Amino acid sequence: MAGRGRPSRASVYRRLEHALTELDTRFGGLPSPKEAQSIWDDIWHLEAHHSTALEGNTLVLREVQARLRRCRPLGVPPGPRTRQLA
């Protein structure tokens, strides 16, 4: 039966060590910073694509990625208004 209140620091460190060991053995550890950046970029592009698609935007994922890289708005069709915002 677990005690009441906050767990001891030693207990927290044991749990952390166990979790890190499991992460290394089951999943090969954490991604490198470069790999992590690629993962976060993919998440950002997919999130932007899906959220704008729900609102009727017809851009394909490749177009969303290109606009995000150029810091272009997603909900505005290409044309004079887009050039003013860029």
Side-chain angles (χ1 to χ4, degrees):
M1 182 167 152
R4 298 179 71 173
R6 181 183 298 180
S8 70
R9 183 175 293 175
S11 170
V12 171
Y13 285 144
R14 278 193 306 273
R15 288 177 53 206
L16 175 62
E17 185 62 37
H18 174 74
L20 290 174
T21 301
E22 183 179 23
L23 180 67
D24 284 339
T25 57
R26 290 184 64 194
F27 302 108
L30 293 172
S32 70
K34 188 174 184 175
E35 292 169 326
Q37 185 60 51
S38 174
I39 293 166
W40 283 113
D41 286 347
D42 287 347
I43 291 170
W44 182 45
H45 294 148
L46 288 169
E47 178 68 24
H49 171 66
H50 292 306
S51 66
T52 57
L54 287 173
E55 296 188 14
N57 192 336
T58 58
L59 294 173
V60 296
L61 179 59
R62 186 175 52 255
E63 293 170 318
V64 169
Q65 291 169 330
R67 283 181 171 227
L68 288 173
R69 276 193 295 272
R70 293 189 317 254
C71 298
R72 297 283 173 101
L74 295 179
V76 180
R81 196 167 156 210
T82 303
R83 279 190 228 96
Q84 291 173 357
L85 293 173

